[in-house]
Amino acid sequence: MKVTYLAHSGFLVEMKNACFLFDYYTGAIPELPKEKPLVVFVSHSHRDHYNREIYQLLSQYPGTQYVLAKDIPVKRLIAEQEAKGINLGEHIKSLRKDTKTMLPLWNHTLLTVTTLKSTDAGVAFLLEYENRILYHAGDLNLWYWEGESRQTHENMERTYRMELEKLREYSIDLAFVPLDPRLEGHAFDGMRLFLEYTDTKCTVPMHMWGDYGVVESFIERFPEYESKLIQITYEGQEFTVE
Ligand SMILES: [Zn+2]
């Protein structure tokens, strides 16, 4: 699998027979192989995860499919794009939390998408495709903000652990998980729990707001996870995962 880091939580993953684009909001999308179906995922509608430019990909790659979290209002979107001459309707799947959906791609391969409930907005995605399992957390994280009540923190941690519990049965090949330096003293909590709960071969930290030093700090604190983490250091970075 070839991975390109676009920006923030935006990644492109090129598999043997399909391409997956996650949470694009800015950065340069490389030229994609036209012989592979493209599936575009949006975990929720927040500005740092969603940019309507993604719908223009449909003119370049006609079979593109969009998998959108339910908080993106689809009807209005379809009408808007229709006014621009883009017929989106049949290309969109709108998914709520805790669903499992089979998505046949135009090259007759099958993608299975399972959604988890985010602790912020929208969903996280678990993809099963040709013997590979991928996970993109969106904003599913342990959000522990200074100044919030102890009760809020406890609820947050309980909800987060409940979602991670659902991942236990999977052997994940590649995961994208938030590591947000704004959480300061609690920045590592969500990532650490993810690594503890799941059996994941390769984890890519994201949602770092350009502050890539947080990965190094995490590894200094938890050196046992170094071999499982990819160090993102610049937009446009490419790497390969088996
Ligand atoms: Zn976000």
Side-chain angles (χ1 to χ4, degrees), residues 1 6 11 20 30 48 66 69 80 84 101 113 118 137 144 156 171 187 210 231-233:
M1 298 180 274
L6 303 171
F11 291 89
F20 304 138
D48 59 323
Y66 296 89
E80 249 173 44
K84 292 186 203 161
T101 309
V113 183
S118 176
Y144 195 120
M156 169 61 68
S171 208
Q231 294 219 33
I232 294 288
T233 48

Side-chain angles (χ1 to χ4, degrees), residues 120-139:
D120 191 46
V123 300
F125 294 112
L126 185 88
L127 275 53
E128 293 168 80
Y129 184 69
E130 300 197 317
N131 298 321
R132 288 278 190 281
I133 300 187
L134 276 68
Y135 170 75
H136 190 285
D139 268 353

Side-chain angles (χ1 to χ4, degrees), residues 8-9 23 43-44 46-49 120 138-139 143 180 182 207 209:
H8 199 50
S9 300
D23 280 11
S43 68
H44 63 293
H46 291 170
R47 207 155 64 84
D48 59 323
H49 295 260
D120 191 46
D139 268 353
W143 298 107
D180 192 320
R182 297 173 308 165
H207 214 273
W209 303 96

Side-chain angles (χ1 to χ4, degrees), residues 4 6 12 21 24 26-32 38 53-54 57 61:
T4 309
L6 303 171
L12 176 75
L21 177 66
Y24 173 81
T26 188
I29 300 173
E31 188 79 23
L32 304 174
L38 169 64
E53 273 176 32
I54 55 172
L57 289 165
Y61 308 102

Side-chain angles (χ1 to χ4, degrees), residues 56-79:
Q56 280 161 22
L57 289 165
L58 194 54
S59 52
Q60 212 177 337
Y61 308 102
T64 300
Q65 282 174 282
Y66 296 89
V67 178
L68 311 178
K70 210 66 183 180
D71 69 323
I72 294 165
V74 167
K75 268 191 195 152
R76 202 176 64 204
L77 179 71
I78 291 173

